Amino acid sequence: MRPTRPTSRAETFPVNTPAAAQVFTTVLTQGPLARLEVARRVGLSAAAVTKAVRPLIEAGYLVEDVDEESRPALGRPANLVRVDGGRALFVGVKVTGDEIIGVVTDLCCRIRVARHVPLADRAPKAVLASIAELVHDLLAAADGLQAPVLGLGVAVSGDVDRGEGAVRYSPFLDWRDVPLAELATTTTGLPVTVDNDVRALTVAEQWFGAGAGLSDFAVVTVGAGIGCGLVVHGRVVAGAHGVAGEIGHVTVDPAGPLCHCGNRGCVEAIAGEAAVVRQIQEATGVQLADAAQALAMAREGVPGAREVYARAGEAIGRGIATVANLLGPERVIISGEGLAAYDLFAEHIRAAFTAAAFGSAAQCDVQTRPLPFEEWARGAAATAIQSFVRADS
């Protein structure tokens, strides 16, 4: 295994107060902004914002630009504060059952380099070796960007304890109690943040995507599993035991198919890719290689195939309605590789959601965002950025 190139220097974020971190986060996720607008959004005085901004400008994390377009009739133009994205780099890695996707992003979480490598062995030692090799290659490719690499985020499906940096259980990898952050720090030399992949994607949407500026929203992912990331009062919810938002295991049909969790009629048992493939095989008598073949069969109009996708859409819609009824989010963002079939189940998602959402919960803005796996790796990088900026994350 080749050693990973170390960062150019150990570096910590130059703020030591929650207020300063809040100011930077607001500019990062919603900027560029004038200082007075920052003060209004974070509920601080202009003097407190100026105090928070000064060391960030001195350290190169923030820059101030003259906004000529907003020049008032009299007086000087306003100065806009923005983040210098090129000031630092972060690596994000998404581990799936058969490949590892890695990206290098700048401080604004813009992807600068991306790589995919196959995963032949799911044992933790083999995966760590592959991660170290991938990180080495990513950093070599990003060498010309001339910025320090300040963190690595790793996203894994399943029950992940971000605070402990441990994967408690990942069914796709067949892992139990793997101290991944500690092991990855040893093999890469970088500070490591480990999180559940759906929560990582939710962090990226919260800070850099369709959830920026919203205090309450949800991300629902459709694919091999059905996942859900929740943001409540501005914070991603992890739950007391690291498990929250398990929309895939909400029962929507008590007489439905058996789920791998042991219950019947879970959303995932009806709408997960493996469930869809199995149901189409049962309906048509045709053996299918994968979800792509199932999708092609439905689009060709093979009797029974479209009905499976219709039921999947209804299950997803009911699951989303459950989230809306419980939490009342402003927005629900639907994503994941399963969106390839969105044309087949979109109307069924909407109809089931509208029927099951209670009262004003039906006003929730339901959006779709097809995101490739590079975006999941970007989510992992977003968690590393968050950990760097906010010590309480």
Side-chain angles (χ1 to χ4, degrees):
M1 183 194 307
R2 289 179 292 176
T4 299
R5 187 192 66 185
T7 57
S8 56
R9 58 191 171 99
E11 187 169 338
T12 57
F13 194 57
V15 300
N16 54 13
T17 66
Q22 187 181 14
V23 166
F24 182 81
T25 301
T26 300
V27 176
L28 177 65
T29 60
Q30 302 170 44
L33 296 169
R35 293 190 191 201
L36 284 176
E37 180 59 18
V38 175
R40 186 187 71 79
R41 295 193 187 192
V42 300
L44 295 172
S45 68
V49 169
T50 294
K51 182 179 179 181
V53 162
R54 187 179 299 117
L56 291 165
I57 290 177
E58 289 173 353
Y61 287 96
L62 292 179
V63 294
E64 204 161 19
D65 298 324
V66 175
D67 183 16
E68 294 288 353
E69 293 183 3
S70 69
R71 180 187 292 273
L74 297 171
R76 296 180 300 172
N79 285 355
L80 295 181
V81 181
R82 64 175 174 84
V83 171
D84 179 3
R87 173 62 176 78
L89 300 175
F90 295 83
V91 179
V93 170
K94 154 75 170 170
V95 183
T96 75
D98 53 14
E99 72 171 341
I100 303 177
I101 305 97
V103 299
V104 176
T105 76
D106 63 15
L107 182 55
C108 294
C109 215
R110 294 175 294 225
I111 296 175
R112 309 300 293 270
V113 182
R115 295 282 189 275
H116 291 236
V117 295
L119 185 62
D121 186 343
R122 298 177 184 177
K125 185 176 181 180
V127 172
L128 280 160
S130 294
I131 289 174
E133 187 82 5
L134 176 59
V135 170
H136 181 280
D137 291 344
L138 285 166
L139 297 187
D143 198 43
L145 297 176
Q146 298 297 312
V149 180
L150 301 183
L152 164 64
V154 182
V156 179
S157 67
D159 179 0
V160 181
D161 186 332
R162 175 167 168 172
E164 294 295 322
V167 179
R168 299 301 180 201
Y169 174 53
S170 180
F172 292 117
L173 295 171
D174 195 26
W175 285 6
R176 288 187 183 276
D177 296 320
V178 177
L180 187 57
E182 178 185 342
L183 295 172
T185 296
T186 300
T187 56
T188 67
L190 294 168
V192 176
T193 302
V194 174
D195 209 343
N196 167 270
D197 56 352
V198 178
R199 282 202 300 270
L201 189 65
T202 303
V203 170
E205 290 299 296
Q206 180 190 24
W207 279 34
F208 307 105
L214 301 182
S215 64
D216 299 271
F217 73 94
V219 175
V220 173
T221 57
V222 180
I226 308 294
C228 181
L230 302 172
V231 173
V232 178
H233 298 320
R235 296 190 70 88
V236 176
V237 176
H241 306 288
V243 178
E246 282 291 343
I247 185 177
H249 298 289
V250 169
T251 299
V252 293
D253 180 6
L258 188 66
C259 182
H260 64 81
C261 74
N263 294 316
R264 284 195 174 275
C266 295
V267 175
E268 193 166 298
I270 299 169
E273 283 187 348
V276 167
V277 170
R278 187 193 69 251
Q279 292 171 91
I280 291 180
Q281 287 180 160
E282 292 171 355
T284 64
V286 177
Q287 286 298 116
L288 301 174
D290 52 27
Q293 195 174 349
L295 179 57
M297 185 176 284
R299 288 192 173 135
E300 289 166 6
V302 174
R306 280 183 172 270
E307 287 76 6
V308 171
Y309 280 102
R311 286 195 297 274
E314 290 169 5
I316 294 166
R318 286 181 175 274
I320 292 172
T322 300
V323 172
N325 290 342
L326 285 173
L327 298 172
E330 259 183 273
R331 179 172 296 158
V332 172
I333 303 156
I334 306 174
S335 189
E337 65 273 22
L339 281 190
Y342 190 68
D343 58 306
L344 295 175
F345 54 50
E347 63 181 273
H348 304 286
I349 290 177
R350 172 56 66 181
F353 170 78
T354 301
F358 175 75
S360 59
Q363 298 174 16
C364 174
D365 175 29
V366 179
Q367 295 187 357
T368 58
R369 269 172 60 79
L371 298 173
F373 267 127
E374 285 86 355
E375 293 294 325
W376 293 73
R378 176 176 175 263
T383 66
I385 295 170
Q386 187 184 62
S387 293
F388 179 68
V389 171
R390 289 191 347 203
D392 65 334
S393 61

